[in-house]
Amino acid sequence: MTAVILGVVAGGLAWIRWLDPHTPIPVTRRCRMAVLAGGIAGSLPVWYLTGTGDYLAKLLLAVIWGCFLLACITDVAICQVYNFVWWISGAAALVLLWLRCRLPHTFSLPGASNGTDGIEAMGAILVVPGSMVALAAFCVLQLLLFARLYGLADCYAFCVCALVECAYGAGMREYLMHMLLAVVLLLPIQAVKRNLNRYGNLKKPVPFLPYITISFYLVFFLKYFGRTVV
Protein backbone atom coordinates (compact mmCIF):
# COMPACT_ATOMS: atom_id res chain seq x y z
CA MET A 1 0.00 0.00 0.00
CA THR A 2 2.95 2.31 0.53
CA ALA A 3 3.68 2.10 -3.21
CA VAL A 4 0.08 3.08 -4.02
CA ILE A 5 0.21 6.03 -1.61
CA LEU A 6 3.50 7.30 -3.03
CA GLY A 7 2.23 6.68 -6.56
CA VAL A 8 -0.77 8.91 -5.91
CA VAL A 9 1.53 11.67 -4.65
CA ALA A 10 3.90 11.34 -7.63
CA GLY A 11 1.03 11.20 -10.12
CA GLY A 12 -0.65 14.20 -8.52
CA LEU A 13 2.54 16.28 -8.69
CA ALA A 14 3.00 15.32 -12.34
CA TRP A 15 -0.59 16.31 -13.09
CA ILE A 16 -0.11 19.67 -11.35
CA ARG A 17 3.06 20.34 -13.38
CA TRP A 18 1.07 19.72 -16.56
CA LEU A 19 -2.01 21.57 -15.33
CA ASP A 20 -0.22 24.61 -13.93
CA PRO A 21 3.34 24.79 -15.30
CA HIS A 22 3.76 28.41 -14.22
CA THR A 23 3.43 27.50 -10.53
CA PRO A 24 6.41 25.27 -9.73
CA ILE A 25 6.16 23.26 -6.52
CA PRO A 26 9.59 22.83 -4.92
CA VAL A 27 10.00 19.29 -3.59
CA THR A 28 13.07 19.32 -1.34
CA ARG A 29 14.88 16.34 0.08
CA ARG A 30 13.28 17.04 3.43
CA CYS A 31 9.87 16.99 1.77
CA ARG A 32 10.63 13.67 0.05
CA MET A 33 11.69 12.10 3.34
CA ALA A 34 8.52 13.38 5.05
CA VAL A 35 6.33 11.98 2.25
CA LEU A 36 8.13 8.63 2.37
CA ALA A 37 7.63 8.47 6.15
CA GLY A 38 3.99 9.48 5.71
CA GLY A 39 3.48 6.79 3.07
CA ILE A 40 4.93 4.08 5.29
CA ALA A 41 3.00 5.28 8.35
CA GLY A 42 -0.21 5.64 6.35
CA SER A 43 -0.10 2.01 5.26
CA LEU A 44 -0.39 0.84 8.89
CA PRO A 45 -4.04 1.81 9.48
CA VAL A 46 -4.86 0.63 5.95
CA TRP A 47 -3.72 -2.91 6.77
CA TYR A 48 -5.12 -2.81 10.30
CA LEU A 49 -8.62 -1.67 9.34
CA THR A 50 -8.98 -4.03 6.38
CA GLY A 51 -7.26 -7.21 7.57
CA THR A 52 -5.71 -9.67 5.14
CA GLY A 53 -8.39 -9.30 2.48
CA ASP A 54 -10.59 -6.44 1.32
CA TYR A 55 -8.26 -5.26 -1.42
CA LEU A 56 -10.71 -2.68 -2.70
CA ALA A 57 -10.92 -1.10 0.76
CA LYS A 58 -7.12 -1.10 0.96
CA LEU A 59 -6.87 0.62 -2.41
CA LEU A 60 -9.47 3.26 -1.52
CA LEU A 61 -7.83 4.08 1.82
CA ALA A 62 -4.39 4.26 0.19
CA VAL A 63 -5.69 6.66 -2.48
CA ILE A 64 -7.29 8.86 0.18
CA TRP A 65 -4.11 8.97 2.26
CA GLY A 66 -2.01 9.72 -0.84
CA CYS A 67 -4.34 12.62 -1.69
CA PHE A 68 -3.90 14.05 1.80
CA LEU A 69 -0.12 13.85 1.55
CA LEU A 70 -0.31 15.60 -1.83
CA ALA A 71 -2.54 18.30 -0.31
CA CYS A 72 0.00 18.82 2.49
CA ILE A 73 2.81 19.30 -0.03
CA THR A 74 0.99 21.95 -2.06
CA ASP A 75 -0.42 23.67 1.02
CA VAL A 76 3.03 24.02 2.55
CA ALA A 77 4.79 24.89 -0.72
CA ILE A 78 2.38 27.35 -2.34
CA CYS A 79 -0.48 27.71 0.21
CA GLN A 80 -2.90 26.18 -2.30
CA VAL A 81 -4.71 22.87 -2.66
CA TYR A 82 -6.02 21.87 -6.09
CA ASN A 83 -9.68 20.86 -6.20
CA PHE A 84 -9.00 17.60 -8.05
CA VAL A 85 -7.43 16.31 -4.82
CA TRP A 86 -10.81 16.53 -3.09
CA TRP A 87 -12.69 15.14 -6.10
CA ILE A 88 -10.53 12.01 -6.04
CA SER A 89 -10.32 11.55 -2.28
CA GLY A 90 -14.00 12.44 -1.81
CA ALA A 91 -15.07 9.95 -4.48
CA ALA A 92 -12.91 7.23 -2.90
CA ALA A 93 -14.35 7.99 0.54
CA LEU A 94 -17.91 7.89 -0.79
CA VAL A 95 -17.30 4.50 -2.43
CA LEU A 96 -15.81 3.22 0.81
CA LEU A 97 -18.82 4.45 2.77
CA TRP A 98 -21.22 2.96 0.21
CA LEU A 99 -19.49 -0.42 0.47
CA ARG A 100 -19.70 -0.28 4.25
CA CYS A 101 -23.40 0.51 4.07
CA ARG A 102 -24.29 -2.03 1.38
CA LEU A 103 -21.80 -4.85 1.94
CA PRO A 104 -20.54 -4.65 5.53
CA HIS A 105 -19.94 -8.41 5.67
CA THR A 106 -17.08 -8.11 3.19
CA PHE A 107 -14.96 -6.07 5.60
CA SER A 108 -12.66 -7.78 8.11
CA LEU A 109 -12.78 -5.35 11.00
CA PRO A 110 -10.58 -5.44 14.12
CA GLY A 111 -11.77 -8.13 16.50
CA ALA A 112 -13.90 -9.89 13.89
CA SER A 113 -13.50 -13.49 12.74
CA ASN A 114 -15.12 -15.57 10.03
CA GLY A 115 -17.70 -17.13 12.31
CA THR A 116 -20.83 -15.92 14.05
CA ASP A 117 -18.78 -14.07 16.66
CA GLY A 118 -17.09 -12.13 13.87
CA ILE A 119 -20.44 -11.05 12.43
CA GLU A 120 -21.61 -9.89 15.85
CA ALA A 121 -18.35 -8.01 16.47
CA MET A 122 -18.61 -6.32 13.09
CA GLY A 123 -22.18 -5.34 13.82
CA ALA A 124 -20.94 -3.22 16.71
CA ILE A 125 -19.53 -0.57 14.37
CA LEU A 126 -21.60 -0.87 11.21
CA VAL A 127 -22.84 2.32 9.60
CA VAL A 128 -26.27 3.18 10.99
CA PRO A 129 -28.79 5.89 9.97
CA GLY A 130 -27.79 8.00 12.98
CA SER A 131 -24.19 8.02 11.76
CA MET A 132 -25.30 9.34 8.39
CA VAL A 133 -27.31 12.13 10.03
CA ALA A 134 -24.30 13.15 12.12
CA LEU A 135 -22.11 13.04 9.01
CA ALA A 136 -24.49 15.27 7.04
CA ALA A 137 -24.77 17.73 9.95
CA PHE A 138 -21.00 17.91 10.32
CA CYS A 139 -20.45 18.56 6.61
CA VAL A 140 -23.09 21.31 6.62
CA LEU A 141 -21.42 22.93 9.63
CA GLN A 142 -18.06 22.79 7.89
CA LEU A 143 -19.26 24.41 4.69
CA LEU A 144 -21.58 27.01 6.21
CA LEU A 145 -19.94 27.90 9.53
CA PHE A 146 -16.31 26.85 9.72
CA ALA A 147 -15.58 27.96 6.16
CA ARG A 148 -15.56 31.49 7.61
CA LEU A 149 -12.84 30.54 10.11
CA TYR A 150 -10.45 28.80 7.73
CA GLY A 151 -10.21 28.02 4.04
CA LEU A 152 -12.55 25.90 1.97
CA ALA A 153 -9.75 23.40 1.35
CA ASP A 154 -9.59 22.73 5.09
CA CYS A 155 -13.38 22.30 5.19
CA TYR A 156 -13.21 19.81 2.32
CA ALA A 157 -10.44 17.95 4.13
CA PHE A 158 -12.51 17.62 7.31
CA CYS A 159 -15.51 16.44 5.26
CA VAL A 160 -13.48 13.73 3.49
CA CYS A 161 -12.05 12.64 6.83
CA ALA A 162 -15.56 12.46 8.27
CA LEU A 163 -16.67 10.22 5.38
CA VAL A 164 -13.87 7.77 6.14
CA GLU A 165 -14.45 7.95 9.88
CA CYS A 166 -18.17 7.34 9.36
CA ALA A 167 -17.37 4.29 7.22
CA TYR A 168 -15.62 2.79 10.24
CA GLY A 169 -18.24 3.53 12.85
CA ALA A 170 -17.34 7.05 13.98
CA GLY A 171 -19.86 9.72 14.85
CA MET A 172 -20.05 13.39 15.75
CA ARG A 173 -17.82 12.83 18.79
CA GLU A 174 -14.96 11.62 16.60
CA TYR A 175 -15.48 14.38 14.03
CA LEU A 176 -15.23 17.04 16.73
CA MET A 177 -12.33 15.24 18.40
CA HIS A 178 -10.53 15.37 15.07
CA MET A 179 -11.02 19.13 14.84
CA LEU A 180 -9.91 19.60 18.45
CA LEU A 181 -6.77 17.53 17.92
CA ALA A 182 -5.86 19.58 14.86
CA VAL A 183 -6.09 22.80 16.88
CA VAL A 184 -4.26 21.25 19.84
CA LEU A 185 -1.41 20.35 17.50
CA LEU A 186 -1.42 23.76 15.81
CA LEU A 187 -1.40 26.11 18.78
CA PRO A 188 1.63 24.84 20.78
CA ILE A 189 3.79 24.70 17.65
CA GLN A 190 2.80 28.22 16.63
CA ALA A 191 3.33 29.40 20.21
CA VAL A 192 6.89 28.09 20.11
CA LYS A 193 7.37 29.93 16.81
CA ARG A 194 5.91 33.08 18.42
CA ASN A 195 3.17 33.25 15.84
CA LEU A 196 0.36 33.81 18.36
CA ASN A 197 -0.84 37.19 19.57
CA ARG A 198 -2.01 37.98 23.10
CA TYR A 199 -5.52 36.77 22.23
CA GLY A 200 -4.34 33.36 21.03
CA ASN A 201 -4.89 34.14 17.34
CA LEU A 202 -2.36 33.53 14.60
CA LYS A 203 -0.31 36.58 13.68
CA LYS A 204 0.41 35.09 10.26
CA PRO A 205 -1.68 32.38 8.55
CA VAL A 206 -0.02 28.98 8.29
CA PRO A 207 -0.88 25.82 6.31
CA PHE A 208 -3.48 23.87 8.29
CA LEU A 209 -3.60 20.70 6.12
CA PRO A 210 -0.59 19.03 7.79
CA TYR A 211 -2.25 19.39 11.18
CA ILE A 212 -5.55 18.05 9.84
CA THR A 213 -3.75 15.08 8.29
CA ILE A 214 -1.75 14.20 11.40
CA SER A 215 -4.79 14.53 13.67
CA PHE A 216 -6.79 12.35 11.24
CA TYR A 217 -4.13 9.69 11.68
CA LEU A 218 -4.23 10.09 15.47
CA VAL A 219 -8.02 9.69 15.56
CA PHE A 220 -7.68 6.22 14.07
CA PHE A 221 -4.94 5.33 16.52
CA LEU A 222 -7.00 6.51 19.48
CA LYS A 223 -10.18 4.79 18.32
CA TYR A 224 -8.98 1.50 16.87
CA PHE A 225 -5.36 0.65 17.62
CA GLY A 226 -4.73 -1.39 20.73
CA ARG A 227 -8.37 -2.38 21.15
CA THR A 228 -10.91 -4.52 19.35
CA VAL A 229 -14.17 -2.88 18.34
CA VAL A 230 -15.32 0.40 19.87
Side-chain angles (χ1 to χ4, degrees):
M1 288 300 106
T2 301
V4 175
I5 293 171
L6 298 180
V8 170
V9 175
L13 289 174
W15 176 254
I16 290 172
R17 283 195 293 270
W18 180 85
L19 188 70
D20 193 7
H22 301 294
T23 307
I25 299 176
V27 181
T28 63
R29 182 179 179 182
R30 182 178 178 183
C31 177
R32 293 192 188 98
M33 295 301 295
V35 171
L36 177 60
I40 295 172
S43 64
L44 296 178
V46 170
W47 285 103
Y48 186 83
L49 288 172
T50 57
T52 56
D54 307 328
Y55 294 107
L56 179 56
K58 284 182 173 62
L59 178 62
L60 293 171
L61 287 168
V63 168
I64 292 167
W65 187 252
C67 286
F68 270 83
L69 289 180
L70 176 62
C72 288
I73 292 173
T74 60
D75 196 25
V76 171
I78 60 175
C79 296
Q80 179 181 346
V81 180
Y82 292 83
N83 284 333
F84 76 85
V85 174
W86 307 126
W87 298 341
I88 296 173
S89 59
L94 282 171
V95 172
L96 183 65
L97 180 60
W98 180 80
L99 289 173
R100 290 283 292 123
C101 291
R102 293 294 300 273
L103 301 172
H105 59 280
T106 63
F107 285 73
S108 304
L109 296 174
S113 63
N114 292 326
T116 303
D117 293 340
I119 295 173
E120 292 175 353
M122 289 171 62
I125 62 169
L126 297 183
V127 180
V128 296
S131 300
M132 302 299 292
V133 172
L135 173 64
F138 179 78
C139 291
V140 169
L141 284 174
Q142 283 294 325
L143 297 175
L144 296 184
L145 177 61
F146 292 108
R148 301 178 182 181
L149 302 178
Y150 40 72
L152 270 178
D154 300 327
C155 292
Y156 296 152
F158 277 120
C159 290
V160 173
C161 290
L163 285 169
V164 178
E165 290 160 0
C166 182
Y168 285 95
M172 185 64 76
R173 181 183 64 179
E174 285 76 20
Y175 309 152
L176 296 178
M177 181 174 71
H178 180 193
M179 293 184 64
L180 178 62
L181 276 174
V183 175
V184 167
L185 289 173
L186 171 71
L187 292 182
I189 294 175
Q190 296 307 312
V192 170
K193 293 182 176 181
R194 298 184 178 181
N195 192 32
L196 295 179
N197 60 26
R198 57 186 295 185
Y199 302 105
N201 298 320
L202 293 173
K203 296 178 181 177
K204 181 174 63 176
V206 297
F208 195 30
L209 252 302
Y211 300 97
I212 296 174
T213 303
I214 294 172
S215 58
F216 178 47
Y217 190 74
L218 290 177
V219 165
F220 276 104
F221 263 105
L222 293 173
K223 186 168 177 63
Y224 297 114
F225 278 55
R227 61 183 72 180
T228 54
V229 178
V230 180

